[in-house]
Amino acid sequence: MDKKYTDFMDEISSDELYEGLLAYGFFSEKLPPVFTAIPFFDYCKTASGSFKAGWNEYITFRAMRNINIPRLMGIPNPFKYQRVCAELRDNWNKIRAHFHAQTDGQSYRVSRIHIRKEYDKKRIFDMNYKNWRVDGNPESDLLMHDKGTSRFLVQADISTCFPSIYTHSIPWALAGKEKAKQTINKDIWYNSIDRACSDMRNGETHGLLIGPHASNLLSEIILTVVDKKLYDKGYRYSRNIDDYDCYVNSRDEAQRFLRDLEGTLREFDLPLNHKKTKVVELPIGMERNWKHQLSDLPKVGKSGMIEYPQVNMFIDTALMLAMETGNFAIINYAVKKLKSLKLSTNGKKLAAKRFMHMAALHPYLLHLMEEHVFMPYGVDVASIKALSDTICRDAVKLNDYESLCYSIYFAVRFDFALEGFEDDYIGAQEYVIESRDCLLLIMTWIYFMNRNHWNRNATQVKPLNRVAQELKQADMDRYWLFCYEALTWGSLPGQWRPMKKAGISFIRKEIADGATTRNTK
C-alpha cells in the first residue's frame, strides 16, 4: 500500500509548514521566475508582530491554461499572507488531527496532490510531483475489486474551485457546520484562519487566491471532508485537487456518484461543473488515454539515442492527440518527457525548434521554455532573442500581457535587447503604462533597470518611477509589488517603509547581480 495521506502531513513540522508556504509558496510558478519571498520570510522573523491588521486588496494577473482559456490568479499583500501562514503554523497540530479524522480509514490515498516534504527541499507543494515508490497507483486496484469489475469511469470536477470556496466553510469543515455557526463570533482558532483568509481578499468571504500554496492546503481542509463522506458510501475514486475519477460497475452507479458528489459539495457551497462531467465506458476509455498512447514513445535508435525521426514522430503524435482532445496538457507532458531522455544532436535541435514554435502559438508553454527547452538543448541566445522578439510583437497586437512579460524575462535572463523595447522605448513605455497591469509594469521596470546597470535615475527608468509614485497614491494594494520595488524607502507609506529601509526585495538577487556583472565586464 502507498503512503497514507497523514504520513505526508506528519512528516512536516509546523515551522517547516510556515517556511514552505511563506518563503517558497508565495509566488505562483506561472510567473516569470524573477520573484522570491525568502528575504520577506527572513524579515518576518523579527517584524511580523508589528504588521497592521485590516483588509487589503491583492494583485491580479491572467495565466493561460492548457485549454487556451485564461485563469485569474493572485499575488496577495505579503503582510496578510504572512498572517494566513502563521495561523496555519500555529494550529498545525489541530489541522493534522483533522486530516487524521478524515483520511485514516482509507485503504488507499484518495487525494493525490497535496503538500509534502521533499528530500533536500524546503518547498512543500508541487502540482506535478510524482514518485511511484511512495505514491503508488490506485487505478489498477480500483478497476478490479471485491465487488466486481469496474465498467465505467466517471470524470467530474468542481466549477472554479478556489474562487468558489467560502472562507466560512473552513470552520464548517474543521468544527462541523452547526458548531461553527454557533461560534462564528468567538475568538476560536478556526475562526482566526477564516478571518485571515478574508482579510487577504479585502474582507471578502468568497474565494481563495489561485497561486499561493496556502490555498492548496486550505482547500484540502474542506475537500478531505467531502472525500470521507463519499468514501464511506463505498465509492472507489481518486481526486487530483478538484478533479474526480470514480470507477463504477454501471451507469446507474455513475449517476448515483454524481448526485452524491454534487450534494456533498453543496454542503460547502461548492458547485459541480456539469459541462466537464463524463461517463466513459471501460476499457475503451482507458486505451484512449493519451498517456498510454505516448508511454512507449519515442523509440531509441541503434545509436542508443533518440534520433531526429523518432523525435519528430513523438512530437507529431503528441500534437495530434492534443488537437483531437483539445487538451494541450499533452504538449506539456511531451516537452517534459523529451527533456529527460537522451536525444541525438539533431534530435535536440529539432525538439527545440518545434517546441519554441509551439510556444509562440500557445503562450501557456512559455513557462516551460527555459528549464525544459533552452537549457537542456543548448539553445543559442540569438534563437531565444528571435523567439522573444516574435512573442513581443504578437503580444502587443493582442494585449497579451502574460506573453509580453515572458519575452521581457528572457531578454533580462539572457542579456539581450528586446526589439520592441529598443526601437521605440518611449512608445513601449507608453503602452505598458496605459495597460495598468502590475506585472507588466514591474517586468518593464526590471528590463530598463537591467539595461541601465540598475541605475534608478536613468532616463529610461524615470517615467516608470513617476508612475509608481502615482499608483502608490491611487491604489497601492493592487500595485504593491511594482510600487515597492520602484520607489525608495522614503517614498513608501506605513509598514512598507521600514521593510524597504531594511533592504528587503521581492526580486531575486541573482537577477540584479547577474545584470550588474554582465554590464560591467
Side-chain angles (χ1 to χ4, degrees):
M1 185 177 112
D2 59 350
K3 286 175 69 172
K4 293 191 303 181
Y5 186 93
T6 47
D7 289 339
F8 291 98
M9 304 300 127
D10 290 342
E11 287 174 349
I12 302 171
S13 70
S14 58
D15 287 337
E16 288 169 335
L17 178 82
Y18 178 67
E19 183 172 6
L21 295 180
L22 182 54
Y24 299 90
F26 183 81
F27 290 106
S28 167
E29 296 76 20
K30 295 294 184 182
L31 292 168
V34 300
F35 305 113
T36 177
I38 296 174
F40 175 67
F41 166 78
D42 292 333
Y43 178 72
C44 290
K45 292 173 183 176
T46 56
S48 61
S50 62
F51 296 162
K52 294 179 181 177
W55 300 350
N56 285 97
E57 285 278 8
Y58 50 92
I59 297 167
T60 58
F61 67 97
R62 292 183 180 275
M64 191 62 69
R65 301 166 66 188
N66 55 35
I67 54 175
N68 277 327
I69 295 174
R71 170 181 280 153
L72 193 65
M73 306 186 74
I75 305 173
N77 175 291
F79 308 114
K80 293 300 176 288
Y81 184 69
Q82 184 275 336
R83 184 184 157 205
V84 170
C85 296
E87 290 290 349
L88 294 171
R89 173 199 62 197
D90 295 345
N91 296 291
W92 182 228
N93 286 340
K94 299 184 184 77
I95 294 168
R96 285 192 302 162
H98 167 78
F99 286 138
H100 273 281
Q102 305 307 318
T103 67
D104 276 355
Q106 296 173 356
S107 59
Y108 65 96
R109 185 161 40 89
V110 171
S111 176
R112 311 302 298 178
I113 300 174
H114 46 72
I115 64 169
R116 65 173 75 207
K117 192 172 181 177
E118 295 184 45
Y119 175 72
D120 204 28
K121 290 184 180 179
K122 293 183 177 181
R123 178 190 180 95
I124 59 171
F125 182 77
D126 187 341
M127 275 289 294
N128 300 305
Y129 183 86
K130 286 270 185 176
N131 183 338
W132 64 269
R133 294 181 185 277
V134 297
D135 278 296
N137 185 355
E139 182 182 278
S140 57
D141 293 331
L142 297 177
L143 286 169
M144 300 287 291
H145 50 87
D146 56 3
K147 295 181 180 179
T149 301
S150 297
R151 300 183 182 279
F152 298 91
L153 170 64
V154 187
Q155 295 179 317
D157 74 5
I158 301 168
S159 181
T160 57
C161 180
F162 285 12
S164 296
I165 288 178
Y166 188 43
T167 63
H168 290 342
S169 67
I170 298 169
W172 297 354
L174 290 168
K177 198 169 189 177
E178 184 176 344
K179 181 179 178 181
K181 288 195 169 189
Q182 290 173 350
T183 58
I184 191 169
N185 295 316
K186 294 187 177 180
D187 186 17
I188 301 176
W189 67 278
Y190 46 78
N191 289 334
S192 296
I193 296 173
D194 178 5
R195 283 193 297 273
C197 291
S198 63
D199 285 355
M200 190 169 60
R201 283 180 51 88
N202 206 32
E204 295 289 334
T205 56
H206 265 98
L208 298 177
L209 295 185
I210 302 175
H213 291 177
S215 295
N216 298 90
L217 175 57
L218 292 161
S219 68
E220 285 290 289
I221 290 172
I222 298 164
L223 295 179
T224 51
V225 178
V226 174
D227 288 343
K228 179 170 174 56
K229 291 174 181 287
L230 295 172
Y231 184 89
D232 288 349
K233 289 183 178 181
Y235 292 116
R236 302 171 301 281
Y237 73 98
S238 62
R239 173 175 59 81
N240 292 297
I241 308 291
D242 60 345
D243 290 323
Y244 294 82
D245 283 345
C246 183
Y247 298 84
V248 297
N249 295 345
S250 66
R251 290 191 181 275
D252 286 345
E253 188 181 2
Q255 294 306 313
R256 284 197 301 275
F257 171 74
L258 289 171
R259 283 195 298 270
D260 285 342
L261 173 60
E262 183 174 25
T264 308
L265 291 173
R266 198 182 298 124
E267 293 177 21
F268 294 95
D269 287 353
L270 291 171
L272 186 66
N273 188 348
H274 290 282
K275 290 182 180 179
K276 290 180 67 175
T277 297
K278 294 179 184 177
V279 179
V280 183
E281 187 171 1
L282 300 172
I284 296 173
M286 296 304 300
E287 290 172 356
R288 289 183 178 174
N289 184 300
W290 56 265
K291 281 189 180 178
H292 288 224
Q293 294 190 52
L294 292 175
S295 61
D296 292 331
L297 296 175
K299 301 292 185 183
V300 177
K302 293 180 181 179
S303 64
M305 295 186 289
I306 298 167
E307 302 287 352
Y308 183 106
Q310 286 71 41
V311 171
N312 204 35
M313 181 182 295
F314 175 73
I315 295 174
D316 280 346
T317 304
L319 189 57
M320 177 193 68
L321 289 168
M323 298 297 288
E324 284 180 354
T325 62
N327 180 7
F328 280 82
I330 296 168
I331 304 300
N332 287 29
Y333 173 84
V335 171
K336 292 177 180 179
K337 181 171 182 179
L338 269 191
K339 177 213 170 187
S340 67
L341 302 176
K342 190 176 182 181
L343 274 60
S344 68
T345 300
N346 287 333
K348 288 180 180 180
K349 289 179 180 178
L350 175 67
K353 286 180 180 179
R354 294 204 62 181
F355 287 141
M356 288 167 68
H357 177 249
M358 288 183 194
L361 298 175
H362 302 291
Y364 71 88
L365 292 171
L366 288 172
H367 75 283
L368 299 175
M369 287 298 104
E370 181 181 0
E371 181 182 354
H372 297 279
V373 178
F374 298 161
M375 305 313 289
Y377 301 143
V379 178
D380 60 86
V381 173
S383 297
I384 299 172
K385 173 175 164 50
L387 172 66
S388 301
D389 287 340
T390 299
I391 293 167
C392 181
R393 287 192 299 269
D394 292 346
V396 169
K397 291 176 186 175
L398 299 171
N399 289 333
D400 178 1
Y401 302 148
E402 179 189 11
S403 296
L404 188 50
C405 283
Y406 267 97
S407 67
I408 295 169
Y409 166 67
F410 295 147
V412 173
R413 170 67 178 82
F414 296 99
D415 192 29
F416 57 78
L418 193 60
E419 184 179 282
F421 277 52
E422 293 297 320
D423 296 348
D424 178 16
Y425 81 86
I426 295 176
Q429 285 196 349
E430 288 176 350
Y431 173 83
V432 169
I433 290 167
E434 288 177 6
S435 77
R436 283 302 193 261
D437 183 85
C438 182
L439 279 180
L440 186 53
L441 284 162
I442 183 64
M443 290 301 298
T444 303
W445 183 83
I446 290 171
Y447 173 83
F448 285 115
M449 286 286 282
N450 177 73
R451 302 302 296 171
N452 289 277
H453 304 236
W454 287 78
N455 174 14
R456 65 175 55 250
N457 293 314
T459 302
Q460 293 177 319
V461 177
K462 282 184 176 180
L464 292 164
N465 292 343
R466 287 195 293 269
V467 173
Q469 189 71 33
E470 293 169 11
L471 290 172
K472 179 201 73 174
Q473 301 290 343
D475 202 352
M476 179 72 179
D477 271 4
R478 294 194 301 132
Y479 292 92
W480 69 260
L481 182 58
F482 170 55
C483 296
Y484 179 80
E485 295 296 343
L487 298 177
T488 58
W489 70 266
S491 301
L492 290 167
Q495 54 200 347
W496 302 103
R497 179 177 291 195
M499 183 165 71
K500 185 69 180 252
K501 192 174 182 181
I504 305 303
S505 175
F506 291 89
I507 298 172
R508 291 183 183 276
K509 191 172 184 294
E510 58 267 29
I511 295 293
D513 286 352
T516 302
T517 301
R518 290 192 301 268
N519 290 323
T520 54
K521 280 182 179 178

